[in-house]
Amino acid sequence: MKAPPLTVTLLAPGAVAFLMLGVLQAMYGAAFPLFQARYGVGPAAVGWVASAHFLGSTTAPPLVGLLLSRVSLRAVVAGSAVVLAAGVTGVALAPTWALAVTGALVGGLGLGGVSAALNAAYASIGTRAVNLVNAVFGVGSILSPLLVLALGGRSLALPFLVVAALGGVTLLATRVWGVPALRPPVAAGSGQPGVTLALFAVLIFLYVGLEVGFGAWLARHLDSLRFGASALILSGYWAGLTAGRILTGLLGGRVSPPRLVLAAAALTTLAALAATVPALSPAAYVLAGLCLGPIFGTTLAWMAASLPARLVPYLLVAGSAGGVLAPAALGALYAGAGPASVPLTLAALGLALSAVVALTARVNWSARHGGRH
């Protein structure tokens, strides 16, 4: 089945939804001082609102995986958008800290549902589509702190009510333009799909570990080098990640997903190694973001070409695990071996990712060609 052209009608629902998701995902950390001022909670307790959000977003994908075999994709997206809007409205208007945390949990559940369902839909269309909508997520994450800064001075409620309004716009967009249907695999093989799915899960686990690991620890490494603009380089890293997704959305259709993901993983490894040289570290970290950009969406499209797209949400669970474990492991190594362990560990993760990508490509090729070499 030939992929549909990338029209405004096709991309608009995903663009609106992923803008909303990006804004919400980055909002809690920026709003910590507002939560503390409103509810009188301390630095240790305020983190619970972000933890509740991420717990909800991590819980949703396996539920979406089950729902997609029973109800329509459009129903899952619409229902999840309603849950997200209700949750963030609860955060905005909660009279007590406990209710605000509960609202964040509900909002996170809705975010995870929208993300899992639409990632599955756009991944089944192909590399360009899924990377373009995920690039809009990055734009939302960049705009989010500015939104909190502009509106949070007047009221904690206003930034979260903007997200709730975006939830309504998402519902309207899905009503007007619809939601892309889950398309069948274009290169399904005859091998063991469980093995292929497991390899893709490990690939996403390592990728998200790398993405979050860079984001969480590059500034600490640069601070240890007495680099005075580590926050600027961190912003450059996230901007590079977004730019990588935009470029892949525009040009990624010219390269097969396995080759593109392998090249990106290898270049990320080289960038991490370059960051071990103090003079190269700032530029290397920005380059790492650019190189990482194509991997996530392209991997989802690669998997959806080989296996049913309704399995995509389960990959997001593996990614969440990588995002939890990798920063903690880097923190332990930082404490035990010093700041120089950060780029070395990231390079080791990049090398492991490259190896898993190569193995996944080989197994996937064998499954499609009946084991012939």
Side-chain angles (χ1 to χ4, degrees):
M1 183 184 297
K2 185 179 179 181
L6 299 188
T7 62
V8 171
T9 300
L10 181 72
L11 294 173
V16 172
F18 276 86
L19 178 69
M20 170 185 68
L21 301 184
V23 170
L24 179 58
Q25 188 85 325
M27 185 166 284
Y28 286 101
F32 276 176
L34 303 178
F35 283 114
Q36 289 182 262
R38 177 169 176 174
Y39 297 106
V41 296
V46 74
W48 280 105
V49 71
S51 296
H53 166 80
F54 282 104
L55 176 62
S57 66
T58 303
T59 303
L63 299 178
V64 170
L66 294 173
L67 285 171
L68 288 179
S69 62
R70 293 168 173 80
V71 299
S72 71
L73 180 85
R74 183 172 179 173
V76 173
V77 174
S80 297
V82 169
V83 170
L84 185 153
V88 296
T89 301
V91 173
L93 305 179
T96 67
W97 176 238
L99 288 175
V101 173
T102 302
L105 176 68
V106 174
L109 193 67
L111 179 146
V114 174
S115 174
L118 287 180
N119 266 311
Y122 286 101
S124 72
I125 294 172
T127 297
R128 295 181 61 210
V130 71
N131 275 286
L132 283 172
V133 295
N134 274 281
V136 179
F137 180 97
V139 173
S141 297
I142 292 169
L143 294 176
S144 183
L146 301 177
L147 183 66
V148 173
L149 183 65
L151 301 179
R154 283 182 270 174
S155 168
L156 169 66
L158 286 177
F160 288 94
L161 290 175
V162 168
V163 176
L166 286 173
V169 176
T170 298
L171 282 174
L172 180 62
T174 59
R175 180 84 176 177
V176 173
W177 289 300
V179 177
L182 292 179
R183 298 165 62 82
V186 296
S190 59
Q192 296 178 315
V195 173
T196 303
L197 180 62
L199 285 170
F200 277 117
V202 174
L203 196 166
I204 288 292
F205 171 88
L206 291 170
Y207 164 75
V208 176
L210 264 174
E211 179 192 307
V212 178
F214 272 107
W217 284 99
L218 74 83
R220 293 292 299 275
H221 177 236
L222 290 173
D223 287 342
S224 75
L225 301 175
R226 303 292 189 268
F227 184 77
S230 58
L232 180 62
I233 298 304
L234 179 59
S235 296
Y237 164 76
W238 290 115
L241 192 79
T242 301
R245 289 174 175 172
I246 293 172
L247 289 172
T248 307
L250 296 174
L251 306 172
R254 302 179 182 183
V255 184
S256 69
R259 290 180 179 177
L260 181 55
V261 175
L262 183 58
L267 289 171
T268 301
T269 305
L270 293 175
L273 286 172
T276 62
V277 180
L280 299 179
S281 292
Y285 282 131
V286 175
L287 180 62
L290 186 66
C291 295
L292 279 169
I295 296 178
F296 178 75
T298 307
T299 298
L300 298 188
W302 179 12
M303 196 219 79
S306 308
L307 298 170
R310 62 180 174 77
L311 298 177
V312 164
Y314 297 109
L315 294 192
L316 304 185
V317 179
S320 296
V324 170
L325 294 177
L330 279 162
L333 288 167
Y334 185 97
S341 65
V342 172
L344 285 172
T345 304
L346 292 169
L349 278 173
L351 190 62
L353 175 62
S354 300
V356 170
V357 173
L359 179 60
T360 304
R362 181 177 178 82
V363 169
N364 200 38
W365 188 92
S366 296
R368 288 168 53 191
H369 294 82
R372 297 191 305 273
H373 297 283

